[in-house]
Amino acid sequence: MPDTELLALQTDHIQTLQQRYQKALLAHGYDGLLISSGAAPMRYGDDQSYPFQGYGPFLHWTGLAGQEHSWLLIRPGRTPVLWLYQPVDFWHANLDLPEEPWQQAVEVRFIQHREAPSMERAGKLAVIGDPATVAQVPGDHNPGRLLVDLEETRVHKTPYEIACLVRANEIAVCGHRAARDTFLGGGSEFEISLAYQRATGQREAEAPYQSIIGVNEHAGTLHYQFYDIDGPARARSLLIDAGVRFRGYCSDITRTTPGAGEGRFAALVQGLEQLQRRLCGMVAPGVDYVAIHRKTHDGIAALLSAAGVVSGLDDEALVEQGVTRAFFPHGIGHYLGVQVHDVAGKREPSPADAPFLRLTRTLEPGMVVTIEPGLYFIPSLLAPILDGPLGGHFNHAVIDDLRGCGGIRIEDNVVVTDDGARNLTREAGG
Ligand code: GLY
Ligand code: MN
Ligand code: MN
């Protein structure tokens, strides 16, 4: 999509938000809503701050992920006012603000101070943001019932948001290609991270989350957080879970690549890939997301049997006895938007058989979700099964071998449409 079209969509997006927020404010009796962009907290006992990424509702309106100490005022029937912190400062630079059409739909003012602007005549005011940042601002801070309704405004993505998510996928897919090539060329986790950053043109601190780059057994730690500087002696597997932000919007993509000569692991990756595509095919309006999660367990059971990991137990028993949960311990996915785990996924708590599932709702057009089945060889989860009463059904030699490959996850970003779904990651060539 050309930039002009994207920018035109952003103006429509702001109009839609104005209507959605207005409805929520009036329903809760507020005359105005002041949104803080946030501020990076300082490290205790230090003069350095943590990396900064803006507060979700601020990004929902502006997409300005790196803009600290700024404020946005929303009032029913009035043009939003955005106070951007742009100090005269010889230590730090200010963010560039290219002239774009959205600035006709929002009144932009620049401030030199970090404190909220005076709101004396704003009437009954709700103020939302990190409690530490809004502490001194008069008004109701983070009122719970209003927040629930505001989170709901983020569930059904506007065409502008979908367009941003498309771009976030396209950019991340380039990074994943570079990462795979670097792994196959014998690169280390650190070199894979550099290749990903170079290809996406994004430093890691700006990404929606720190990339998860696990070579060999590291792929078996779900959120593996370190990088080996040296390449592996034998490159058996790569799991990379990495996204980018585009105008505030996140991609969240995982790919697993087997090393050369890893036939058994490669077959399992292929099996999980087929399962993942089937699960993506289930995404449609009216579908219970929990049903997709449960279907994943059936698929994992079938894969474990087909790979010779287990024998003499039928698929149903593998699911019912909790065996599949030891191999696939996380949820099938979550909402995606200006936060990687976007809000409002759980109107009800997760069911007992899926404690880590972050989304338990029925799918509707405009929702954007991830579909991310995994199959891992995690010693601490497998030990009770292998050493327990079912242990004799498992091929310990095969599991010991696969443990060296860590695990598999394959994750795409999928939009629910009026009659089915669009897989943004596959559309981007991922
Ligand atoms: N990247 C974290 C997740 O997939 O949820
Ligand atoms: Mn992910
Ligand atoms: Mn995810």
Side-chain angles (χ1 to χ4, degrees):
M1 174 183 293
D3 280 354
T4 45
E5 217 172 296
L6 183 86
L7 294 174
L9 286 179
Q10 188 177 15
T11 308
D12 300 341
H13 168 73
I14 289 173
Q15 270 170 17
T16 303
L17 293 198
Q18 181 72 26
Q19 288 158 11
R20 291 182 187 175
Y21 275 60
Q22 177 164 313
K23 191 166 161 227
L25 289 176
L26 294 176
H28 294 273
Y30 285 105
D31 301 308
L33 170 71
L34 186 66
I35 305 172
S36 158
S37 71
M42 301 299 287
R43 294 183 201 155
Y44 177 65
D46 200 344
D47 65 355
Q48 302 294 310
S49 63
Y50 291 100
F52 175 73
Q53 300 211 353
Y55 175 49
F58 187 83
L59 300 186
H60 195 202
W61 280 87
T62 68
L64 300 172
Q67 184 71 50
E68 293 180 85
H69 310 297
S70 296
W71 304 86
L72 177 66
L73 178 65
I74 309 299
R75 287 166 297 182
R78 309 274 294 269
T79 302
V81 184
L82 173 63
W83 287 270
L84 285 177
Y85 177 62
Q86 299 245 326
V88 176
D89 179 0
F90 56 87
W91 292 102
H92 301 106
N94 291 317
L95 269 187
D96 269 347
L97 191 67
E99 250 179 61
E100 291 181 343
W102 67 267
Q103 288 147 22
Q104 279 143 37
V106 174
E107 183 187 335
V108 180
R109 301 182 192 168
F110 296 99
I111 46 173
Q112 293 274 332
H113 53 83
R114 298 176 169 197
E115 300 76 34
S118 168
M119 290 290 131
E120 268 163 24
R121 273 172 289 170
K124 187 169 156 54
L125 188 72
V127 184
I128 62 172
D130 179 342
T133 314
V134 302
Q136 304 306 322
V137 185
D140 291 353
H141 293 176
N142 296 314
R145 286 166 50 181
L146 174 67
L147 279 181
V148 169
D149 283 357
L150 294 181
E151 288 188 347
E152 198 59 28
T153 68
R154 286 162 60 183
V155 168
H156 301 92
K157 268 58 182 182
T158 63
Y160 168 72
E161 295 181 285
I162 306 284
C164 289
L165 290 161
V166 166
R167 292 286 281 273
N169 268 265
E170 288 167 351
I171 298 165
V173 162
C174 296
H176 278 269
R177 270 194 212 117
R180 184 197 55 206
D181 292 348
T182 305
F183 164 71
L184 292 174
S188 68
E189 290 164 348
F190 184 66
E191 287 162 335
I192 293 166
S193 164
L194 294 181
Y196 182 85
Q197 290 180 62
R198 180 189 290 270
T200 54
Q202 176 194 253
R203 58 202 276 192
E204 195 151 57
E206 290 166 0
Y209 54 95
Q210 185 186 304
S211 300
I212 299 160
I213 299 175
V215 168
N216 296 350
E217 65 275 7
H218 294 163
T221 300
L222 300 183
H223 286 175
Y224 181 71
Q225 74 272 44
F226 305 118
Y227 293 151
D228 274 356
I229 303 295
D230 298 322
R234 178 179 162 202
R236 301 193 61 190
S237 64
L238 166 68
L239 185 158
I240 170 166
D241 181 342
V244 300
R245 267 190 201 278
F246 177 77
R247 297 179 79 88
Y249 285 84
C250 308
S251 47
D252 177 12
I253 300 173
T254 310
R255 289 293 180 263
T256 307
T257 305
E262 296 292 339
R264 178 182 281 142
F265 184 67
L268 215 44
V269 173
Q270 201 179 21
L272 194 79
E273 165 98 17
Q274 284 165 357
L275 172 62
Q276 197 264 359
R277 284 180 184 263
R278 285 203 304 278
L279 297 169
C280 290
M282 286 178 71
V283 175
V287 171
D288 177 7
Y289 192 73
V290 178
I292 304 180
H293 177 82
R294 296 215 168 103
K295 200 74 180 167
T296 312
H297 280 275
D298 299 343
I300 296 288
L303 271 178
L304 291 173
S305 297
V309 169
V310 63
S311 53
L313 286 174
D314 61 32
D315 293 354
E316 237 169 65
L318 287 171
V319 175
E320 270 165 23
Q321 311 255 346
V323 170
T324 52
R325 271 176 65 185
F327 289 91
F328 169 50
H330 56 78
I332 188 58
H334 47 84
Y335 280 150
L336 185 68
V338 289
Q339 288 167 225
V340 61
H341 298 153
D342 214 5
V343 292
K346 288 207 281 191
R347 278 194 182 135
E348 291 157 24
S350 311
D353 63 340
F356 301 119
L357 190 58
R358 292 188 168 97
L359 171 55
T360 56
R361 294 176 57 167
T362 299
L363 298 178
E364 296 166 10
M367 292 177 171
V368 179
V369 301
T370 66
I371 296 291
E372 48 181 304
L375 199 171
Y376 312 87
F377 299 89
I378 302 172
S380 61
L381 296 183
L382 293 187
I385 305 240
L386 300 179
D387 299 340
L390 298 178
H393 291 279
F394 289 85
N395 188 328
H396 293 236
V398 167
I399 292 176
D400 282 346
D401 176 44
L402 289 171
R403 204 169 262 159
C405 296
I408 310 166
R409 181 161 65 252
I410 299 172
E411 176 176 23
D412 289 348
N413 305 165
V414 183
V415 185
V416 186
T417 59
D418 288 338
D419 54 1
R422 276 180 71 188
N423 185 326
L424 303 185
T425 313
R426 304 284 173 177
E427 278 181 16

